[in-house]
């Protein structure tokens, strides 16, 4: 059976163009070595069931566990699976050469090639990603994307205990370091044998393009610095973002904010996220427009969006960078106590931005989302952070992806929302305590219209409304008269 699985995997690798027919014996021998096999029996796979690469991998990894080659531990299985796929994955130099050959014809063709490679090599975990619950929900701000994240499997207690006991090492320094390319992995650090990166020149400095192993949208990429340096938002960041979309005009790219609470999950390595996807925020219309003296070739607007977004448009990168830097420098030192905005507490800064760049035809766009990370006795996790009444749906930081209109919600909601649905229908249900008030409100609202057929849709729509509220909480200028007046004061001060 193992010989048949190996041959099927090789056939799939050839079919997906990971390898050529001439590579078959070489790849086979590499896999035999990993499985401690010294011979191979030719198998007829014509009648065998058609399995995809991830399914074949799972069966081969199960064989390795049963034979005692590896332990039945999550990290060990991941490492072994990655090593198998590395037998089919070309070296970085070859992949980069092919990428740039395609790039000369069309940047879209280059990224499409690398994206398919990353999926076929099982670096992007498409089988697990398909477990996610994904849908769109209509709001006054457009259609928001909702994802209940079920793609990352939970580790078993043995794996967690082992992770705590192993000796710590700082190689690679973090999950985004270039040293992850081809790194086998270890307990507590993910397997990366089959991981490849594209070398990208940004402002005459080496940066790297890779895809997220758990993509949340089409061609969800990460652009990372060669150096392990802290996240920083600056005028150089704006120019680098615009330089990237100039090279890849079908992609957007943005940076998380560079302060805790409003920043991303990794602030120790300078990086951006981008991709071939149009979020609701990119489609959002202008709420109102304005001009800044000295920047006549830049069109400026405030976007109709729950968070506080300034959109700058120009055909000239340099003009956008100058205007964006003017706004950012002013915002970093701006306070308005009437709307709770303080630039700093002592020497601790609070104001920053989440910048996002894209290209529409010949016009560059730079969005600056105003952020502030102050906390208070009432809002211990952040004044401009999801407030306590929405924590039952979303409590985590609002990073770049959420800012643009995609909710990444915790896996617990999959089962919890089913209980809320039962409750609305008047069935016996075990509703989590933190959902009870919300569930009671929904039951009252929908008791005459909810049915078995539509209750899931009703609850999903309400989750979307909650996410819209989450974004409103994170907006520094609320979409009311007080907030609008405060926003206009800041714009006037520019």
């Amino acid at each position: 059976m193992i010989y048949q699985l190996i041959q099927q995997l090789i056939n799939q690798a050839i079919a997906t163009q990971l390898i050529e027919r001439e590579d078959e014996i070489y790849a086979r021998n590499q896999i035999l070595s990993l499985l401690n096999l010294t011979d191979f029996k030719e198998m007829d796979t014509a009648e065998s069931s058609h399995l995809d690469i991830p399914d074949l991998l799972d069966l081969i990894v199960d064989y390795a566990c049963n034979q005692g080659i590896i332990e039945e531990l999550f990290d060990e299985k991941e490492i072994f699976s990655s090593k198998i796929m590395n037998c089919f994955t070309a070296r970085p130099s070859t992949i980069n050469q092919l990428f740039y050959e395609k790039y000369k014809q069309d940047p879209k063709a280059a990224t499409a090639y690398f994206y398919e490679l990353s999926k076929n090599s099982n670096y992007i975990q498409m089988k697990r990603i398909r477990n996610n619950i994904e849908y769109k929900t209509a709001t006054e701000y457009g259609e928001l994307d909702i994802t209940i994240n079920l793609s990352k499997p939970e580790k078993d207690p043995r794996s967690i205990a082992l992770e705590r006991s192993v000796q710590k090492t700082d190689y690679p320094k973090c999950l985004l370091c270039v040293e992850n390319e081809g790194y086998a992995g270890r307990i507590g650090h993910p397997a990366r044998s089959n991981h490849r990166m594209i070398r990208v020149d940004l402002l005459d400095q080496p940066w790297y393009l890779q895809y997220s192993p758990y993509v949340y949208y089409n061609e969800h990429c990460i652009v990372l610095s060669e150096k392990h340096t802290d996240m920083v938002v600056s005028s150089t960041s704006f120019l680098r973002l615009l330089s990237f979309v100039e090279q890849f005009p079908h992609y957007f790219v943005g940076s998380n904010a560079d302060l805790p609470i409003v920043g991303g999950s990794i602030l120790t390595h300078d990086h951006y996220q981008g991709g071939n996807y149009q979020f609701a925020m990119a489609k959002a219309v202008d709420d109102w427009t304005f001009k800044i003296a000295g920047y006549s070739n830049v069109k400026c607007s405030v976007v109709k969006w729950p968070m506080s977004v300034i959109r700058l448009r120009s055909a000239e990168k340099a003009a956008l960078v100058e205007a964006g830097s003017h706004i950012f420098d002013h915002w970093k030192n701006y306070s308005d106590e009437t709307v709770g905005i303080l630039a700093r507490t002592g020497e601790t800064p609070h104001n920053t931005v989440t910048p996002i760049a894209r290209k529409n035809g010949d016009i560059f766009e730079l969005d600056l989302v105003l952020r502030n990370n102050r906390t208070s006795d009432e809002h211990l996790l952040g004044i401009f952070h999801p407030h306590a009444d929405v924590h039952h749906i979303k409590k985590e930081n609002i990073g770049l992806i959420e800012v643009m209109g995609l909710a990444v919600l915790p896996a617990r909601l999959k089962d919890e929302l089913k209980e809320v649905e039962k409750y609305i229908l008047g069935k016996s249900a075990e509703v989590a305590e933190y959902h009870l008030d919300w569930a009671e409100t929904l039951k009252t609202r929908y008791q005459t219209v909810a049915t078995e057929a539509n209750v899931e849709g009703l609850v999903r729509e309400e989750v979307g409304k909650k996410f819209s509220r989450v974004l409103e909480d994170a907006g520094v200028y609320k979409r009311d008269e007080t907030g609008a007046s405060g926003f206009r004061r800041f714009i006037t001060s520019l």
Side-chain angles (χ1 to χ4, degrees), residues 5 14 37 83 117 123 309 354 370 390 420 460 464:
L5 292 174
I14 293 170
L37 294 170
K83 284 180 178 178
L117 173 79
Y123 172 72
V309 184
T354 300
L370 306 182
V390 294
V420 171
R460 285 186 172 188

Side-chain angles (χ1 to χ4, degrees), residues 116-229:
E116 287 305 305
L117 173 79
S118 300
K119 289 190 290 185
N120 292 333
S121 69
N122 206 47
Y123 172 72
I124 297 177
Q125 301 266 356
M126 289 305 298
K127 182 181 177 181
R128 292 177 187 166
I129 290 163
R130 292 188 192 101
N131 293 327
N132 290 343
I133 296 171
E134 298 176 349
Y135 64 94
K136 293 179 182 287
T137 185
T139 71
E140 63 176 296
Y141 308 110
E143 283 195 326
L144 301 181
D145 291 294
I146 309 296
T147 296
I148 297 177
N149 183 17
L150 304 170
S151 57
K152 294 184 181 179
E154 294 184 13
K155 294 186 179 184
D156 58 75
R158 273 184 69 215
S159 294
I160 295 169
L162 191 58
E163 196 172 312
R164 288 173 180 158
S165 67
V166 296
Q167 186 176 354
K168 302 299 179 194
T169 174
D170 62 354
Y171 182 87
K173 290 186 176 69
C174 78
L175 297 176
L176 294 179
C177 281
V178 294
E179 288 80 11
N180 283 283
E181 188 175 44
Y183 185 65
R186 59 179 186 269
I187 300 298
H189 189 102
R192 292 290 182 261
S193 292
N194 55 337
H195 176 34
R196 301 294 184 266
M197 300 178 180
I198 299 299
R199 279 65 180 159
V200 179
D201 184 287
L202 293 179
L203 310 187
D204 295 324
Q205 291 184 339
W207 281 61
Y208 293 75
L209 168 70
Q210 66 173 65
Y211 290 107
S212 170
Y214 296 100
V215 292
Y216 289 126
Y217 51 86
N218 187 49
E219 295 179 47
H220 176 186
C221 71
I222 299 169
V223 185
L224 54 97
S225 170
E226 183 177 57
K227 296 178 181 176
H228 179 76
T229 55

Side-chain angles (χ1 to χ4, degrees), residues 155-367:
K155 294 186 179 184
D156 58 75
R158 273 184 69 215
S159 294
I160 295 169
L162 191 58
E163 196 172 312
R164 288 173 180 158
S165 67
V166 296
Q167 186 176 354
K168 302 299 179 194
T169 174
D170 62 354
Y171 182 87
K173 290 186 176 69
C174 78
L175 297 176
L176 294 179
C177 281
V178 294
E179 288 80 11
N180 283 283
E181 188 175 44
Y183 185 65
R186 59 179 186 269
I187 300 298
H189 189 102
R192 292 290 182 261
S193 292
N194 55 337
H195 176 34
R196 301 294 184 266
M197 300 178 180
I198 299 299
R199 279 65 180 159
V200 179
D201 184 287
L202 293 179
L203 310 187
D204 295 324
Q205 291 184 339
W207 281 61
Y208 293 75
L209 168 70
Q210 66 173 65
Y211 290 107
S212 170
Y214 296 100
V215 292
Y216 289 126
Y217 51 86
N218 187 49
E219 295 179 47
H220 176 186
C221 71
I222 299 169
V223 185
L224 54 97
S225 170
E226 183 177 57
K227 296 178 181 176
H228 179 76
T229 55
D230 288 349
M231 281 280 298
V232 175
V233 174
S234 67
S235 59
T236 304
S237 307
F238 302 158
L239 183 56
R240 198 178 282 123
L241 294 174
L242 293 165
S243 174
F244 181 85
V245 296
E246 186 175 38
Q247 294 180 59
F248 300 95
H250 58 299
Y251 274 18
F252 80 90
V253 69
S255 171
N256 271 305
D258 53 354
L259 294 179
I261 294 177
V262 296
S265 56
I266 299 179
L267 295 178
T268 56
H269 196 118
D270 209 2
H271 71 284
Y272 311 131
Q273 292 183 83
N276 188 6
Y277 189 73
Q278 192 174 44
F279 288 91
M281 194 183 92
K283 301 175 189 175
V285 298
D286 294 344
D287 217 354
W288 47 281
T289 61
F290 62 94
K291 295 179 180 179
I292 308 175
Y295 302 97
S296 58
N297 52 352
V298 178
K299 293 182 178 179
C300 312
S301 64
V302 167
V303 179
K304 185 184 177 184
W305 191 245
M307 296 184 70
S308 308
V309 184
I310 296 172
R311 179 163 293 163
L312 307 175
R313 299 179 178 95
S314 178
E316 302 172 27
K317 284 189 303 178
L320 271 191
V321 172
E322 287 179 18
S325 300
H326 172 65
I327 294 169
F328 181 43
D329 290 342
H330 192 65
W331 172 248
K332 283 190 288 187
N333 298 297
Y334 185 82
S335 295
D336 185 347
E337 292 191 38
T338 63
V339 286
I341 296 169
L342 295 178
R344 55 181 43 83
T345 302
E347 296 299 312
T348 304
H350 295 307
N351 287 352
T352 187
V353 296
T354 300
I356 301 148
R358 65 186 74 85
K359 199 163 187 267
N360 286 322
D362 295 329
I363 303 300
F364 291 97
E365 288 185 0
L366 181 65
D367 288 351

Side-chain angles (χ1 to χ4, degrees), residues 380-392:
L380 296 173
L381 297 180
I383 296 170
F384 304 106
H385 177 88
H387 290 175
D389 62 322
V390 294
H391 283 179
H392 66 107

Side-chain angles (χ1 to χ4, degrees), residues 1-20:
M1 183 65 177
I2 187 60
Y3 301 128
Q4 190 173 58
L5 292 174
I6 293 169
Q7 189 59 53
Q8 283 182 272
L9 184 61
I10 291 169
N11 292 346
Q12 286 288 67
I14 293 170
T16 55
Q17 298 182 316
L18 281 172
I19 60 171
E20 302 295 331

